[in-house]
Amino acid sequence: MTKIKTLLILGTRPEVIKLAPVYFALAQSEEFNPLIINTGQHRDLARDFLTRFNLTAAYDLEVMIENQSLTYLTSEIISRLEKVMIKEQPDLVLVQGDTTSALGGALSAFYHQVSLGHVEAGLRTGKKYNPFPEEMNRLLISKLADWHFAPTSGARNNLLQEGIEREKVLVTGNTIVDALLQVLAKNLPFHNEILSREVSKGKEKIVTVTAHRRENWEKGIEEVAQALRILGEKFKEVKIFFPLHPNPLVREKILPYLSSCTRVFLLEPLDYFDFVKLLSQSTLLITDSGGVQEESSALGVPVLITRDFTERPEVMKAGLGYLVGCNREKIVGLATRFLKEKRTQKSQPIFGDGRASWRIVQALRYFFGLDSREIEEFIST
Ligand code: UDP
């Protein structure tokens, strides 16, 4: 039997994390021949993460240049993908989420009339420019996709409201929970020297922080840094770990406030295995990242979301997430509450049970006519 040649097009850290379990699930099935295409949008990060998951890209398009504009990025991705499409003649393209690589992959699939599946479909803030360019990227991908794998029923409803046909949308959970559970099950020691020295379970309260959104680069990030400084001075039994985004602009804004704080540890971007271990031992998360909110929900860690809008309202509804903008007072106030209170963390299955990738593969088998059972019947288990 000829296998269904499937290109998984990715280019950034979260795409590697969220597509790795899909790749493994496809590779395990006899019927698919999955190939990874790395656009290189995040040159080093995506490569390092692929290596960490023992994955190799069949093509590395190396699009990244310094100060790349969105126009450059989009056009280079589409043009370099064209050669891959012509050579490989795939049966199926999978993209994930809302990056420029995902949009480029979706457009390329459309131009070459290849079936397109969208993993993590249906997230919306309803604000054209927030987050920018991701909100428009995901809307456009939804228009181009043939099959939509929604992480939650809320995301599914968003798609149905936009007129996407009901039978093309499936709630699968988010594949990040698959990755998280698989990695935590390995129970590896910390690889990062600072973490292995400074984190001793149960002895201190840990706050994990990440910040990378474009909307916050100008000003917001400085307020977050000021809030962390106040918290570091106020709580003697708290350690704050902040893996910094590689972008030098983000670093320039943060360092003046935090480089001399003894309880704030500024780190290089962490290896995924270290990051999720750190998060699993945290009392609180402060972040503007989407993926990290999904992971913290699965672990039951409360999160202060340093944004004005969210496409993951489920985290707030579950009582785990608080939208605080980049407001110093709100961050300090709420963080103080969480650091003082005694609470047991209770994981919330908002983003699934760790079997999203399996459901996606079953759904694809069905779409390609390889399984005749009614789809709801076998993916609901
Ligand atoms: N992450 C990581 N190391 C770090 C910071 C984050 O491995 O130092 C992982 C994190 O576990 C999550 C993903 O990166 O799975 C989130 O990526 P990012 O915040 O860049 O993107 P977003 O999720 O906002 O699209």
Side-chain angles (χ1 to χ4, degrees):
M1 188 189 104
T2 3
K3 294 191 179 189
I4 297 166
K5 191 182 274 188
T6 307
L7 304 189
L8 293 95
I9 298 176
L10 49 81
T12 65
R13 170 171 72 184
E15 288 167 285
V16 176
I17 295 167
K18 290 174 171 180
L19 283 177
V22 180
Y23 174 89
F24 290 123
L26 286 168
Q28 258 177 21
S29 144
E30 301 278 280
E31 293 138 334
F32 294 87
N33 170 19
L35 292 181
I36 292 175
I37 316 299
N38 179 10
T39 65
Q41 181 179 340
H42 279 176
R43 187 175 41 216
D44 299 334
L45 268 189
R47 243 184 240 161
D48 290 353
F49 272 68
L50 283 170
T51 311
R52 194 63 175 112
F53 281 100
N54 278 329
L55 291 171
T56 314
Y59 295 84
D60 188 338
L61 305 181
E62 298 187 322
V63 291
M64 184 173 157
I65 54 166
E66 222 156 277
N67 299 321
Q68 55 196 1
S69 71
L70 288 171
T71 308
Y72 161 83
L73 202 54
T74 313
S75 52
E76 278 303 306
I77 289 173
I78 303 170
S79 121
R80 294 185 198 194
L81 276 176
E82 177 143 80
K83 297 185 185 81
V84 179
M85 290 288 186
I86 291 169
K87 182 150 185 269
E88 295 294 339
Q89 300 284 319
D91 304 297
L92 170 67
V93 165
L94 290 179
V95 295
Q96 192 283 331
D98 50 23
T99 66
T100 303
S101 293
L103 176 62
L107 269 173
S108 188
F110 171 64
Y111 291 156
H112 295 273
Q113 300 188 19
V114 178
S115 298
L116 176 67
H118 187 199
V119 178
E120 198 187 76
L123 273 63
R124 300 286 185 267
T125 60
K127 310 278 170 208
K128 182 174 173 182
Y129 290 108
N130 202 314
F132 174 79
E134 290 86 355
E135 177 74 1
M136 194 45 67
N137 287 350
R138 50 200 176 206
L139 262 160
L140 295 171
I141 297 170
S142 295
K143 288 283 168 216
L144 297 166
D146 298 286
W147 303 306
H148 311 257
F149 304 113
T152 62
S153 53
R156 177 172 186 262
N157 290 343
N158 291 338
L159 293 164
L160 298 183
Q161 273 165 23
E162 287 167 17
I164 309 270
E165 293 152 80
R166 190 167 286 274
E167 54 281 11
K168 305 259 168 96
V169 186
L170 283 161
V171 180
T172 56
N174 197 310
T175 56
I176 201 166
V177 181
D178 308 17
L180 176 80
L181 299 182
Q182 285 163 24
V183 166
L184 283 178
K186 293 184 197 282
N187 196 20
L188 296 176
F190 283 119
H191 184 68
N192 179 287
E193 256 178 57
I194 301 175
L195 293 180
S196 43
R197 193 179 62 229
E198 297 293 337
V199 178
S200 38
K201 202 171 185 318
K203 289 217 178 108
E204 68 273 296
K205 287 194 169 173
I206 293 172
V207 179
T208 299
V209 185
T210 76
H212 76 95
R213 294 231 87 85
R214 251 165 225 264
E215 307 89 92
N216 293 341
W217 287 356
E218 260 315 301
K219 202 178 155 292
I221 195 96
E222 287 182 55
E223 283 222 25
V224 176
Q226 287 167 19
L228 298 180
R229 191 188 168 101
I230 296 171
L231 291 169
E233 284 165 1
K234 192 169 166 180
F235 290 98
K236 307 289 173 234
E237 73 293 2
V238 166
K239 286 182 178 171
I240 301 173
F241 294 95
F242 189 171
L244 296 177
H245 196 269
N247 190 310
L249 212 86
V250 177
R251 293 180 178 221
E252 265 168 40
K253 301 266 177 174
I254 290 170
L255 287 177
Y257 298 100
L258 295 177
S259 52
S260 61
C261 290
T262 48
R263 267 184 297 279
V264 180
F265 298 86
L266 300 175
L267 312 170
E268 287 306 313
L270 290 172
D271 163 79
Y272 185 61
F273 291 41
D274 274 357
F275 186 82
V276 295
K277 189 176 173 82
L278 177 67
L279 193 58
S280 70
Q281 299 188 15
S282 298
T283 301
L284 180 68
L285 165 70
I286 303 176
T287 193
D288 59 8
S289 156
V292 184
Q293 284 177 56
E294 290 152 356
E295 290 159 342
S296 70
S297 304
L299 294 166
V301 178
V303 51
L304 307 187
I305 307 160
T306 48
R307 295 180 56 191
D308 296 325
F309 303 100
T310 179
E311 54 287 270
R312 294 171 177 82
E314 298 89 348
V315 182
M316 295 169 66
K317 276 187 210 138
L320 272 180
Y322 298 81
L323 211 51
V324 292
C326 287
N327 182 308
R328 192 178 52 197
E329 277 69 42
K330 277 193 192 165
I331 297 172
V332 173
L334 270 168
T336 300
R337 200 183 101 195
F338 283 115
L339 290 171
K340 280 190 172 162
E341 90 183 1
K342 272 203 168 21
R343 70 188 284 282
T344 23
Q345 287 174 0
K346 197 165 164 293
S347 88
Q348 301 260 10
I350 308 170
F351 296 104
D353 56 2
R355 280 162 56 85
S357 315
W358 177 82
R359 290 194 184 87
I360 289 169
V361 173
Q362 299 315 309
L364 288 170
R365 295 182 64 251
Y366 172 80
F367 291 137
F368 276 91
L370 302 171
D371 198 314
S372 56
R373 282 174 294 166
E374 276 309 307
I375 185 119
E376 298 299 346
E377 195 186 309
F378 62 91
I379 71 160
S380 60
T381 48

